[in-house]
């Protein structure tokens, strides 16, 4: 990472493309040629779907059994609001930042417990709903900008840092399987209002590829297609409040920590107008996973037990549309 950072810093001072080859929207370019900074903001609303799963073993060695408990969140739907900024400094330094926030509308949750290795001898299973709380993520990246022979094609390799959080509430519980050693009956789970909150953060390396086509007739000035690819290293942490467990502490009943990696892919199509305003539509995909980590369980008697967190997997898909403005 250090060698890569030094390499990119050197590129910042060696690459000096023509001011007329801005990776930002082409509209109003004549007015910004003499500026040190060109910047564009994008405001979008969107629809997001998350899937999250994790499982733990019976002990820190990952055995007895290999999967003791497993939780899956599927079809967690959110309505999102996104703010993105793309800035060009002195025609060579490319800066990109974004902040996305979403309100969770609905989703499904499954909670299963096992007595045998490899998810065998299942003795407990509940099917639950997901309602309320939020998701959000933020990122910033910096790197040099390269252009190619006035073709409207720009490459922007970057280093950056990102953070993300999911806050899911589990409600509307229904116990569909109950066998010994579990001593509860099947049916609705009264008063279920548990919570699981994740945090993903770490550095990334990536690239923006922008292709801009000037439009010479009518009120439109340019058509842009932006592709984004990022590889992430993440530190993962989470804590939970299992509100019906009287043997566990509250508000933190247990906590997770692990390290992992993943990727972010995005594509956006934008249309610019002579008034500096524009329209955008885009899609994003995130896929993150962790290696084995730790699950710490906090008991009401003050004891803390530790077992192996086998893995955490997260996938998210976003479709969004909105407005842009260049100044």
């Amino acid at each position: 990472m250090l060698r890569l950072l030094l390499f990119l810093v050197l590129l910042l001072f060696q690459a000096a493309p023509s001011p007329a080859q801005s990776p930002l929207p082409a509209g109003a370019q004549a007015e910004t040629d003499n500026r040190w900074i060109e910047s564009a903001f994008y405001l979008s609303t969107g629809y997001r779907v998350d899937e999250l799963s994790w499982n733990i073993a019976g002990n820190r060695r990952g055995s007895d059994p290999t999967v003791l408990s497993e939780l899956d969140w599927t079809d967690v739907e959110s309505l999102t609001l996104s703010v993105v900024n793309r800035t060009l400094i002195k025609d060579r330094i490319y800066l990109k930042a974004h902040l996305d926030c979403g309100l969770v509308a609905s989703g499904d949750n499954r909670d299963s417990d096992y007595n045998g290795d490899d998810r065998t001898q299942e003795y407990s299973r509940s099917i639950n709903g997901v309602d309320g709380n939020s998701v959000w993520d933020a990122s910033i990246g910096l790197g040099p900008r390269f252009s190619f022979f006035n073709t409207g094609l720009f490459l922007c390799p970057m280093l950056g840092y990102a953070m993300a959080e999911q806050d899911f509430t589990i409600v509307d519980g229904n116990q569909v399987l109950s066998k010994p050693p579990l001593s509860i009956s099947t049916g609705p789970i009264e008063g279920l209002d548990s919570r699981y909150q994740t945090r993903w953060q770490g550095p990334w390396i990536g690239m923006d590829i922008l292709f801009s086509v000037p439009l010479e007739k009518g009120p439109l000035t340019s058509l842009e297609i932006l592709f984004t690819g990022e590889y992430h290293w993440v530190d993962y942490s989470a804590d939970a409040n299992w509100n019906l467990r009287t043997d566990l502490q509250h508000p933190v009943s247990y906590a997770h920590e692990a390290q992992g990696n993943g990727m972010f892919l995005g594509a956006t199509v934008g249309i610019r107008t002579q008034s500096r305003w524009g329209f955008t539509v885009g899609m994003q995909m995130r896929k993150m996973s962790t290696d084995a980590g730790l699950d710490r369980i906090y008991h009401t008697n003050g004891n803390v037990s530790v077992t192996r967190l086998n893995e955490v997997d997260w996938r998210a898909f976003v479709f969004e549309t909105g407005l842009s403005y260049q100044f």
Side-chain angles (χ1 to χ4, degrees), residues 59 61 92 141 158 169 173 220 269 300 320:
N59 57 42
R61 298 186 301 275
R92 69 173 69 183
M158 291 175 288
T169 300
L220 306 181
V269 177
T300 53
E320 57 188 9

Side-chain angles (χ1 to χ4, degrees), residues 268-282:
T268 303
V269 177
I271 297 177
R272 289 284 161 182
T273 69
Q274 293 181 358
S275 65
R276 293 180 177 265
W277 288 94
F279 306 93
T280 62
V281 61

Side-chain angles (χ1 to χ4, degrees), residues 7-19:
F7 175 71
L8 288 177
V9 170
L10 289 174
L11 289 178
L12 288 175
F13 293 96
Q14 293 175 356
S18 166

